[in-house]
Amino acid sequence: MITVERLNRTYGSLHAVRDVSFTISQGEVIGLLGPNGAGKTTIMKMMCGYLEPSSGRVLINGTDVALDTKVAQSYVGYLPENLPVYPEMTIVAYLEYAAGLRGLQPDQYAAEIRRVLDATDLRGRALDKIGSLSRGLKQRVGVAQALLGSPKVLVLDEPTNGLDPTQTLQMRELIRKLAQTSTVIISTHILSEVEAVCDRVLMVRSGRLVLDSRLDELTEAGVLNVRTSLGSAALQPLLQKLEGVKGYQFETQQDVTVCRIKLAEQGSANQVAANLAKAIIEAGGELYQLHREQRDLETLFRELNSGEAIANAA
């Protein structure tokens, strides 16, 4: 659906985006994550054809954005971080105006506007002036204009920026609904947004793509934690015989042995856990707890911005 190849953008001596490459398949929900100033918005603008790259290219549905911008843009619905709306216009009048900009025919306006109003739960506010709306409802108007023309790709830049907690939850639910029919790309610096709605994350730092991974793989630490009645002297030889174990560390808490086991491969976690549980029981020990250790995005984000190494999983 989307291919980004060696994308660069410079402003004089400032290198805002550096050699960024990735692909996005149809139906994915992508979180473009990074601190403020990392280059997220610049990448999105180049993907949508609103900013020319200094080098590299973007393909959307097989169309080169630079060579055939209008066709490529017809595949994309874009919600910029600060959407320019006209406060004196009603929602329906604004959407008619946006439909014309999207290239829809006048006889399509009514049906298409009804569709996007229903999708964003704005049908009951259609005649309200935009200037009278809350920040959350204005964001919904922005999403509604992005949906005009049934785009294959939705690009949402900081969609919950400035929203209160209730509005944020409503926007998340809307994004989940939209993801059922479109490829969705969300730019944000808010970790909970990615965890709540995305299934894959792209992390950007200083204009570089430093990590590309599915969220479920990203949060898997490759570590098992076990609590057992077996002492470390009895448990150690069992661990030494298990395939897939890279290392381990013991801690004794009263009559319980706690062991943190580093796995050789993340994919071996289920098999190692099954074999270890069997070995402990056969050795006459009691197994109190056995589970995978999980990392959260906050930990990864902190590593990213402290300069600690994160391997690109692309």
Side-chain angles (χ1 to χ4, degrees), residues 233-252:
L235 186 57
Q236 184 171 352
L238 301 182
L239 294 172
Q240 291 173 339
K241 294 177 183 178
L242 286 181
E243 293 185 7
V245 173
K246 185 177 182 180
Y248 43 83
Q249 183 177 9
F250 292 108
E251 178 185 346
T252 301

Side-chain angles (χ1 to χ4, degrees):
M1 173 58 68
I2 301 173
T3 302
V4 174
E5 298 178 350
R6 309 202 66 175
L7 209 57
N8 287 273
R9 177 68 191 190
T10 58
Y11 298 92
S13 61
L14 175 64
H15 214 142
V17 175
R18 299 170 179 264
D19 203 30
V20 169
S21 298
F22 55 84
T23 60
I24 298 174
S25 301
Q26 185 173 358
E28 286 193 285
V29 182
I30 304 295
L32 185 59
L33 180 64
N36 290 327
K40 305 185 300 296
T41 295
T42 303
I43 291 171
M44 284 190 152
K45 286 182 177 178
M46 289 190 287
M47 290 174 58
C48 295
Y50 297 110
L51 185 65
E52 286 189 23
S54 300
S55 62
R57 66 173 185 164
V58 178
L59 302 176
I60 298 180
N61 203 32
T63 301
D64 191 314
V65 173
L67 298 180
D68 206 340
T69 304
K70 291 298 184 183
V71 172
Q73 287 178 334
S74 70
Y75 301 132
V76 179
Y78 179 42
L79 173 65
E81 182 176 2
N82 296 300
L83 178 69
V85 291
Y86 300 94
E88 70 279 5
M89 296 180 75
T90 63
I91 294 176
V92 69
Y94 173 75
L95 291 176
E96 286 180 355
Y97 172 67
L101 295 178
R102 287 286 292 179
L104 274 66
Q105 298 302 312
D107 60 356
Q108 299 175 298
Y109 288 2
E112 188 64 5
I113 289 172
R114 280 196 299 269
R115 185 184 69 82
V116 300
L117 288 172
D118 286 340
T120 53
D121 294 326
L122 287 172
R123 176 76 78 95
R125 310 296 296 267
L127 299 179
D128 289 5
K129 287 190 175 182
I130 293 175
S132 69
L133 303 177
S134 67
R135 176 66 186 250
L137 288 173
K138 287 178 182 176
Q139 286 289 79
R140 285 179 174 268
V141 174
V143 175
Q145 66 80 29
L147 290 174
L148 289 167
S150 301
K152 297 177 182 294
V153 178
L154 283 175
V155 178
L156 310 177
D157 193 356
E158 302 282 1
T160 61
N161 187 28
L163 303 188
D164 65 32
T166 299
Q167 293 168 338
T168 296
L169 291 174
Q170 291 170 344
M171 181 59 69
R172 288 179 184 175
E173 186 58 36
L174 175 57
I175 291 170
R176 291 190 192 99
K177 184 167 63 173
L178 298 176
Q180 297 173 8
T181 55
S182 301
T183 299
V184 181
I185 305 165
I186 303 168
S187 168
T188 184
H189 63 280
I190 302 173
L191 307 179
S192 58
E193 295 306 308
V194 176
E195 291 177 319
V197 300
C198 299
D199 49 35
R200 180 175 158 209
V201 61
L202 306 175
M203 283 191 178
V204 181
R205 183 181 67 188
S206 301
R208 297 183 185 276
L209 182 67
V210 294
L211 186 132
D212 177 355
S213 177
R214 288 190 57 81
L215 197 59
D216 53 359
E217 296 171 353
L218 190 62
T219 55
E220 177 59 60
V223 172
L224 286 174
N225 288 311
V226 62
R227 295 168 59 88
T228 177
S229 63
L230 289 182
S232 58
L235 186 57
Q236 184 171 352
L238 301 182
L239 294 172
Q240 291 173 339
K241 294 177 183 178
L242 286 181
E243 293 185 7
V245 173
K246 185 177 182 180
Y248 43 83
Q249 183 177 9
F250 292 108
E251 178 185 346
T252 301
Q253 299 177 353
Q254 296 180 345
D255 296 329
V256 176
T257 298
V258 178
C259 184
R260 188 172 185 269
I261 304 165
K262 181 67 176 176
L263 302 176
E265 298 178 8
Q266 290 185 3
S268 66
N270 288 338
Q271 191 60 54
V272 172
N275 291 340
L276 177 59
K278 182 179 179 181
I280 289 173
I281 299 303
E282 290 179 347
E286 295 184 0
L287 181 60
Y288 303 129
Q289 190 177 59
L290 179 59
H291 65 91
R292 296 189 190 189
E293 185 174 300
Q294 297 289 319
R295 296 181 296 183
D296 57 20
L297 273 180
E298 183 177 353
T299 301
L300 292 166
F301 197 70
R302 186 168 58 249
E303 292 173 356
L304 169 71
N305 292 295
S306 66
E308 296 178 30
I310 298 179
N312 191 333

